[in-house]
Amino acid sequence: MLLSFRFANHRSFRYEQQLNLMKVYDRKNPENLQNDAVRVIGIFGANASGKSNCLQALSYMRRMVTSSDREVEPGLGLVRDPFRLDAACLAEPSRYIVDLTLKNVRYTYGFTLDNERILEEWLYYYPLNRRRRVFERDGDDFVWGEESGKKPDLERIAEITAPTALFMSTVARFSRRRTESDTPDAEPLHSVYRWFFRTRTRSRPGPRLSRHLSMAFPEFEDDRLVIVDLLRAADIGIVDVTLKSPTPIQPPLFADLSDQDLPSETAASTGVPRRLTREAAARSERRIQFAHRGASGKVMLELADESSGTQQLLDLAIDASVVLRLGGTMTVDEIDASLHPLLTAKLIALFQSEKTNPRGSQLIFTSHDAALLGTFDTEEVLRRDEIWFVEKDEEGSSVVYPLTDFKPRKEGENRQRRYLNGNYGGVPDLSFALFERALAGRGDTE
């Protein structure tokens, strides 16, 4: 599980910020507060306050960990996005740090980088609550853990790690070719890498293309049932979702060839007309189909026949089902896009429930929907320690802070109303006088 995420000098965030997922309230097990994290975090704020940038910072860290050894070419520098409202920040390094707990062991991994290279990188873990160093990197110099003796394999990998690549991702690439770890410190490296690999980030609202949704549709029956449950809860008439397997096409033995159906270069070797080749390719793709309640029984509809809201919910459900089964973290920007608040609450509840989320998977999302700060059926959608806000300071730098910074005025406070009234911040400072002046000026020119 993710315990905390710290980052600095990234997009609208100038100074180091921390998204702390440690529980503040646990009525059932108050003694577990020091060792447990919440499973859901909702981030609220005005437009352009930095909500999306907070998730994008974690997405950037994940991309660097999983692909910096392949995507970044030595000598070309690094692609990053520092704070731009202060020219000094363009040359200052950016920093990214996660604190994790994996199989009851805590890990701390992080790195700093500038426009040219990786400046620092480190990994610690805490078996028996004692910190042990796996490695520390300062430029091209590495220091290894004290308790594991010499590490010839890790040292060889460190020697070929490019200045623009993370050691973590370089180790992962070479470890794929090995059947077992050679050093005691390899397991912490692999465990942390697997967490990043399993983390799913969605940086844009709206569903993926139908072809991508069909490819991403899970093979496991338990995952499919999670998807069906969410769609049934939407009360939109869907009773089942299935994946139709491709149906191969056998071309006729003697096909009529016209000028426009002459074999292309790719089809010439098989002798199949171009038209038939296109039809075979179109029908060979897997297709998602929805069973709807109809007047005379079930009616099967294609993905293109469904609304954008249904497609959005399906897309989120596909990612959620995989994360819930494997464990990990899922981030969603504007989770409420095209979704009714009750559906968003249903998706959130899947992660909050120990029954549907036995592996402790986590959901971090942004939203404008103040209804998620309230209650549905007398139950809170989000607890106090699951709610965060983002707003900008006077210098234009984003700041993230939790609802728990505010003491509740009374039991059962109306968080939705207090948020919209600006008591927690994170709302736009609208000037109706400017609107009126702009409209009045437009009228003068007509």
Side-chain angles (χ1 to χ4, degrees):
M1 298 181 74
L2 177 65
L3 303 180
S4 74
F5 172 50
R6 289 170 282 165
F7 59 101
N9 196 20
H10 182 90
R11 290 198 171 186
S12 62
F13 291 91
R14 176 180 182 180
Y15 305 106
E16 181 170 290
Q17 302 294 313
Q18 181 179 26
L19 192 64
N20 191 345
L21 283 77
M22 296 297 294
K23 283 185 177 179
V24 178
Y25 306 103
D26 192 342
R27 297 176 181 176
K28 295 182 179 180
N29 301 294
E31 69 279 1
N32 292 336
L33 289 179
Q34 299 299 321
N35 302 307
D36 202 2
V38 297
R39 301 185 178 196
V40 174
I41 285 289
I43 304 173
F44 299 83
N47 291 98
S49 61
K51 302 186 305 297
S52 299
N53 292 340
C54 184
L55 298 190
Q56 202 278 339
L58 182 59
S59 176
Y60 176 82
M61 186 179 190
R62 178 192 182 276
R63 188 168 67 251
M64 287 294 296
V65 168
T66 57
S67 61
S68 66
D69 62 303
R70 301 184 304 276
E71 294 186 358
V72 182
E73 294 294 333
L76 298 181
L78 288 165
V79 177
R80 67 182 185 118
D81 200 351
F83 184 74
R84 298 186 181 184
L85 299 186
D86 185 344
C89 293
L90 300 178
E92 292 178 358
S94 300
R95 181 182 302 107
Y96 307 88
I97 307 168
V98 292
D99 290 294
L100 309 170
T101 177
L102 306 172
K103 297 181 179 179
N104 297 320
V105 178
R106 181 186 164 199
Y107 299 81
T108 299
Y109 172 73
F111 57 85
T112 63
L113 72 166
D114 61 13
N115 298 326
E116 303 299 327
R117 62 165 301 146
I118 305 295
L119 301 175
E120 297 175 303
E121 187 182 3
W122 61 91
L123 174 61
Y124 306 105
Y125 72 123
Y126 302 79
L128 303 177
N129 293 322
R130 294 181 57 188
R131 192 181 86 162
R132 296 183 182 178
R133 176 176 57 200
V134 179
F135 76 92
E136 293 175 353
R137 174 186 181 183
D138 185 0
D140 295 326
D141 299 325
F142 285 78
V143 179
W144 309 104
E146 302 90 346
E147 302 180 11
S148 301
K150 294 185 177 180
K151 308 167 180 60
D153 285 348
L154 295 183
E155 289 174 351
R156 282 194 291 268
I157 296 175
E159 290 175 356
I160 62 173
T161 299
T164 53
L166 292 173
F167 179 68
M168 176 74 73
S169 55
T170 309
V171 166
R173 172 160 58 97
F174 281 92
S175 296
R176 295 189 193 106
R177 305 172 184 175
R178 313 184 70 85
T179 57
E180 59 183 9
S181 302
D182 291 334
T183 68
D185 278 348
E187 180 56 31
L189 286 162
H190 298 163
S191 296
V192 173
Y193 179 85
R194 281 195 297 268
W195 180 85
F196 278 104
F197 186 79
R198 290 176 177 175
T199 295
R200 296 195 168 211
T201 58
R202 297 172 56 87
S203 58
R204 54 168 178 77
R208 289 170 281 191
L209 297 175
S210 59
R211 178 171 59 87
H212 295 157
L213 282 175
S214 299
M215 292 174 61
F217 198 89
E219 301 285 350
F220 291 90
E221 178 64 10
D222 288 347
D223 294 348
R224 191 188 70 83
L225 292 178
V226 170
I227 296 171
V228 173
D229 179 57
L230 270 175
L231 292 174
R232 283 178 175 173
D235 193 27
I236 50 181
I238 294 177
V239 296
D240 201 3
V241 185
T242 57
L243 191 66
K244 184 168 181 159
S245 301
T247 303
I249 294 179
Q250 296 294 333
L253 184 60
F254 300 102
D256 294 331
L257 296 179
S258 63
D259 291 340
Q260 62 181 359
D261 288 331
L262 291 177
S264 64
E265 293 181 0
T266 56
S269 59
T270 61
V272 180
R274 185 187 298 115
R275 172 175 53 81
L276 295 178
T277 304
R278 286 197 300 266
E279 291 176 356
R283 289 180 55 186
S284 66
E285 291 187 355
R286 306 192 308 173
R287 303 201 316 273
I288 298 174
Q289 292 190 322
F290 300 82
H292 282 258
R293 291 190 302 267
S296 57
K298 291 183 181 180
V299 178
M300 304 304 295
L301 298 181
E302 300 290 333
L303 181 62
D305 300 322
E306 301 294 339
S307 69
S308 60
T310 300
Q311 294 182 35
Q312 167 78 344
L313 181 58
L314 172 67
D315 196 2
L316 290 173
I318 288 174
D319 280 351
S321 65
V322 176
V323 172
L324 289 170
R325 173 170 53 86
L326 297 177
T329 300
M330 175 179 171
T331 68
V332 183
D333 194 19
E334 297 185 31
I335 194 173
D336 51 300
S338 301
L339 293 184
H340 191 280
L342 287 173
L343 293 185
T344 308
K346 173 68 174 178
L347 180 62
I348 292 171
L350 285 179
F351 283 83
Q352 292 172 325
S353 169
E354 294 184 1
K355 181 178 179 180
T356 55
N357 184 14
R359 291 185 175 271
S361 302
Q362 292 168 295
L363 171 66
I364 306 175
F365 68 88
T366 68
S367 177
H368 292 287
D369 193 349
L372 299 178
L373 299 172
T375 60
F376 290 138
D377 293 332
T378 70
E379 293 290 333
E380 295 178 343
V381 180
L382 297 168
R383 301 185 315 179
R384 287 183 59 84
D385 52 1
E386 296 174 338
I387 300 171
W388 286 68
F389 303 103
V390 177
E391 66 178 7
K392 287 187 175 179
D393 60 21
E394 296 179 353
E395 298 178 347
S397 177
S398 297
V399 179
V400 60
Y401 56 95
L403 175 63
T404 53
D405 282 355
F406 302 86
K407 294 182 179 180
R409 300 179 62 181
K410 60 182 178 179
E411 188 70 21
E413 63 176 338
N414 191 325
R415 300 172 192 160
Q416 179 180 356
R417 184 175 62 187
R418 296 198 70 200
Y419 170 65
L420 293 177
N421 286 339
N423 297 93
Y424 304 136
V427 293
D429 184 12
L430 301 177
S431 174
F432 290 99
L434 288 178
F435 289 147
E436 293 175 353
R437 191 181 310 162
L439 291 174
R442 184 184 66 178
D444 294 341
T445 61
E446 292 179 355

